Amino acid sequence: IEEALSRYPKGFVASLIKAIFISGELWFDGKPAGGTYHHSWIIVASTTNRNKESNYEAALYGVHHELSSFVLNKQPITGMAWGELMPQGWSAASSYAKALGVNWSDEPDYINGFLSKYAETSVENDFNTYAELAFSEPVELVKLANSYPLVAKKLRLFIDAYSRISPAMMTVFEQTALVAAAAAPEPYSK
């Protein structure tokens, strides 16, 4: 968790949440989940069923994933603009079970800007997966943004949402080459 928090400028996380809790197994609609959030806290699942490395990754990705929901919720225009980038005919998963039940090993639909199958289940989950890669695997996200125009567009919205909360976030994204890989800013059309 400390490593995840170190990716943010001083005060950024505290401006969004008050606590991070570590739980044992976490289930929604009969499906295991890696984390959740509410009001001013996040929960990251960590179990004895996992090895040390997978618990480390779950915490690292989980903090970025859940924290990004607070960023998205503070930036409703970002959610609306993100929704406009979803494929024609797309609809969100109708339950936690359907969202958590995706085949995680299926190839992501990068052409439509999705970084994982789970990302396809809602605008929020899509945004969350950008946080996972932006803070844990920025080099991979830069490669994807340079190869897929919709990834670059979503990355621009992601960077702008974080930077509106704290201008210091722009420096974080510039240091990892994410800003250079993102599409040029576009005005929201509605």
Side-chain angles (χ1 to χ4, degrees), residues 23-104:
S23 73
E25 291 183 355
L26 191 60
W27 293 75
F28 292 104
D29 289 348
K31 300 286 184 186
T36 191
Y37 72 95
H38 196 62
H39 295 300
S40 62
W41 47 260
I42 62 177
I43 296 175
V44 177
S46 176
T47 73
T48 57
N49 296 340
R50 295 184 184 156
N51 62 39
K52 188 176 182 179
E53 185 177 306
S54 64
N55 269 328
Y56 165 83
E57 288 178 2
L60 183 65
Y61 285 84
V63 167
H64 301 311
H65 183 102
E66 301 304 335
L67 187 65
S68 70
S69 291
F70 288 90
V71 173
L72 185 62
N73 290 336
K74 285 189 174 279
Q75 303 290 326
I77 195 90
T78 299
M80 289 184 275
W82 201 285
E84 286 187 356
L85 296 177
M86 299 308 243
Q88 188 170 353
W90 172 87
S91 63
S94 59
S95 69
Y96 288 124
K98 287 187 178 171
L100 294 169
V102 298
N103 187 344
W104 296 77

Side-chain angles (χ1 to χ4, degrees), residues 142-164:
V142 166
K143 287 179 191 173
L144 292 168
N146 286 331
S147 299
Y148 299 97
L150 271 175
V151 171
K153 284 184 176 187
K154 288 180 178 181
L155 180 57
R156 170 53 60 194
L157 290 174
F158 176 86
I159 289 169
D160 290 349
Y162 274 77
S163 298
R164 279 192 296 275

Side-chain angles (χ1 to χ4, degrees), residues 103-179:
N103 187 344
W104 296 77
S105 62
D106 282 353
E107 184 71 21
D109 181 4
Y110 296 126
I111 290 171
N112 282 309
F114 296 115
L115 303 179
S116 72
K117 293 311 272 183
Y118 182 68
E120 295 178 28
T121 64
S122 74
V123 166
E124 183 174 353
N125 290 335
D126 195 16
F127 188 84
N128 297 152
T129 61
Y130 275 76
E132 291 176 10
L133 261 63
F135 296 110
S136 300
E137 298 180 55
V139 172
E140 179 64 21
L141 186 51
V142 166
K143 287 179 191 173
L144 292 168
N146 286 331
S147 299
Y148 299 97
L150 271 175
V151 171
K153 284 184 176 187
K154 288 180 178 181
L155 180 57
R156 170 53 60 194
L157 290 174
F158 176 86
I159 289 169
D160 290 349
Y162 274 77
S163 298
R164 279 192 296 275
I165 290 174
S166 170
M169 287 302 303
M170 187 60 76
T171 302
V172 171
F173 296 131
E174 286 170 345
Q175 291 171 346
T176 57
L178 290 168
V179 172

